Amino acid sequence: MKVLLTGAKGQLGQSIFKLKPEGVNLITPDKSLFDLSDCGTFDHFFSINRPNWIINCGAYTNVDNAEIEKEKAMLINAIALKELSKVSLKYGTKILHLSTDFVFNGNQNVAYSPNQKRDPLNFYGLSKAKGEEYLEDYLGYKDKAIILRTSWVMSSSGNNFATKMIKLMRDKKELNIVSDQIGCPTSVNTLGETCWKIFKNEERIFDLNKNKVPILHFSDCGLASWYDVAIELRNIFIDLKMINNPAKIFPIESKHYSSLAKRPRFSLLNSELIRGILDLPYIHWKDSLRKIFYSE
């Protein structure tokens, strides 16, 4: 099987690369050969490489900057999906598309199910929601695409909350962390493993709903606020002696945290469907987070 991986240099892309099963020819082109912001390159690349699948984890992910660079965010997160859908149909390629909990508004108090209505609060979420809609418009009824939404992805490298906390806890004496936004962290390792398991169970997933593109949710287990995650990270960093005198951490409400983009108050994803299909273990986010750092 030949698989094209977009966003290969990102934290999830690196995990997917490391976890690649035997028998998979994984294509990881640099931007000079394949760039999501340059849709004109797609057809030529596909005509030469003919991938069976695309894992699309490439994205514009800076939530606040997306409020300013709207055209760029929409190009990479949405327009590129429309053009990838067209090219995929032409060459018989299937798409596994990584999306986000930010397609929801966060105004409920129970975990979001995959079939719930999209209603994003910010432009990043809007661009990701639009990308999902393009996949449905072009690849619905065709068993050609799967959408996998996830949340709060973390690793020990790259640009994410955990790596930001390492630096801030070293450089600052005190940190104010939002305590009233609720979701669940997801390890790049458990997420990467889930992506590969989806391929082994594609027939069962496509049989879920023949009328449209299947949507799945996956995160690690449990729930947390950003404050909860920061406290757990602080404990990990102290235990591993990564930081000598870490900053003190104080909870604050979202209204006291200045940002360009609004965030959903509650964006927990219901992952029961995918756990049943793939027979995934229930791993609490604290255990998954610790494994990221303790396994190094």
Side-chain angles (χ1 to χ4, degrees), residues 44-102:
H44 178 68
F45 186 88
F46 271 63
S47 68
I48 294 173
N49 291 280
R50 305 278 177 152
N52 304 106
W53 274 93
I54 308 167
I55 304 177
N56 184 44
C57 54
Y60 184 105
T61 58
N62 191 316
V63 177
D64 286 324
N65 279 0
E67 299 295 320
I68 301 170
E69 298 182 321
K70 293 182 177 181
E71 185 175 341
K72 184 176 181 180
M74 189 62 73
L75 172 61
I76 295 172
N77 291 345
I79 303 301
L81 263 293
K82 178 172 70 172
E83 298 307 316
L84 277 178
S85 298
K86 294 178 183 177
V87 175
S88 294
L89 275 179
K90 181 177 179 179
Y91 293 100
T93 305
K94 301 173 186 178
I95 300 177
L96 173 58
H97 174 60
L98 276 293
S99 194
T100 173
D101 57 324
F102 275 32

Side-chain angles (χ1 to χ4, degrees), residues 98-101 111-112 114 148-154 182-192 194-195 198 216-224 267-275 278 280-286 288-289:
L98 276 293
S99 194
T100 173
D101 57 324
Y112 280 92
L148 177 62
R149 296 190 187 123
T150 190
S151 63
W152 300 19
V153 179
M154 298 189 194
I182 305 300
C184 187
T186 305
S187 160
V188 290
N189 298 327
T190 55
L191 182 56
T194 299
C195 289
I198 284 174
L216 301 169
H217 286 174
F218 177 77
S219 69
D220 289 321
C221 297
L223 56 79
S267 62
L268 189 68
L269 299 176
N270 186 327
S271 303
E272 289 303 306
L273 178 61
I274 196 171
R275 291 189 189 283
L278 305 185
L280 298 175
Y282 286 79
I283 304 175
H284 194 271
W285 67 265
K286 287 187 179 181
S288 192
L289 192 61

Side-chain angles (χ1 to χ4, degrees), residues 174-186:
E174 295 182 355
L175 294 175
N176 295 321
I177 306 295
V178 171
S179 62
D180 59 353
Q181 292 174 14
I182 305 300
C184 187
T186 305

Side-chain angles (χ1 to χ4, degrees), residues 247-289:
K248 294 181 180 178
I249 301 173
F250 300 97
I252 62 167
E253 296 180 358
S254 300
K255 63 184 180 182
H256 299 305
Y257 178 78
S258 178
S259 64
L260 290 174
K262 293 181 180 180
R263 265 75 168 176
R265 177 188 57 82
F266 187 94
S267 62
L268 189 68
L269 299 176
N270 186 327
S271 303
E272 289 303 306
L273 178 61
I274 196 171
R275 291 189 189 283
I277 294 171
L278 305 185
D279 192 25
L280 298 175
Y282 286 79
I283 304 175
H284 194 271
W285 67 265
K286 287 187 179 181
D287 296 327
S288 192
L289 192 61

Side-chain angles (χ1 to χ4, degrees), residues 116-273:
Q116 286 194 241
K117 181 182 177 181
R118 306 174 185 96
D119 186 20
L121 288 179
N122 53 53
F123 198 84
Y124 164 71
L126 177 64
S127 67
K128 293 294 288 185
K130 191 64 180 176
E132 292 185 9
E133 291 170 2
Y134 279 134
L135 282 179
E136 292 176 335
D137 291 343
Y138 285 88
L139 301 180
Y141 302 94
K142 295 179 173 66
D143 289 355
K144 289 292 184 183
I146 297 170
I147 295 169
L148 177 62
R149 296 190 187 123
T150 190
S151 63
W152 300 19
V153 179
M154 298 189 194
S155 71
S156 60
S157 62
N159 184 23
N160 63 83
F161 184 78
T163 54
K164 289 177 182 176
M165 285 297 102
I166 295 174
K167 184 178 188 324
L168 288 173
M169 287 184 199
R170 285 172 176 162
D171 296 345
K172 304 286 186 179
K173 292 183 178 180
E174 295 182 355
L175 294 175
N176 295 321
I177 306 295
V178 171
S179 62
D180 59 353
Q181 292 174 14
I182 305 300
C184 187
T186 305
S187 160
V188 290
N189 298 327
T190 55
L191 182 56
E193 290 169 354
T194 299
C195 289
W196 288 119
K197 287 180 179 179
I198 284 174
F199 290 160
K200 294 181 180 179
N201 294 270
E202 63 173 282
E203 289 187 12
R204 291 184 64 192
I205 294 170
F206 284 130
D207 284 341
L208 288 173
N209 193 334
K210 287 293 184 181
N211 296 323
K212 58 183 180 180
V213 173
I215 301 176
L216 301 169
H217 286 174
F218 177 77
S219 69
D220 289 321
C221 297
L223 56 79
S225 69
W226 291 111
Y227 172 78
D228 296 330
V229 180
I231 292 295
E232 183 63 20
L233 286 168
R234 186 177 185 270
N235 293 336
I236 292 171
F237 300 154
I238 291 173
D239 191 28
L240 292 176
K241 297 180 172 55
M242 296 172 65
I243 300 177
N244 293 324
N245 297 298
K248 294 181 180 178
I249 301 173
F250 300 97
I252 62 167
E253 296 180 358
S254 300
K255 63 184 180 182
H256 299 305
Y257 178 78
S258 178
S259 64
L260 290 174
K262 293 181 180 180
R263 265 75 168 176
R265 177 188 57 82
F266 187 94
S267 62
L268 189 68
L269 299 176
N270 186 327
S271 303
E272 289 303 306
L273 178 61

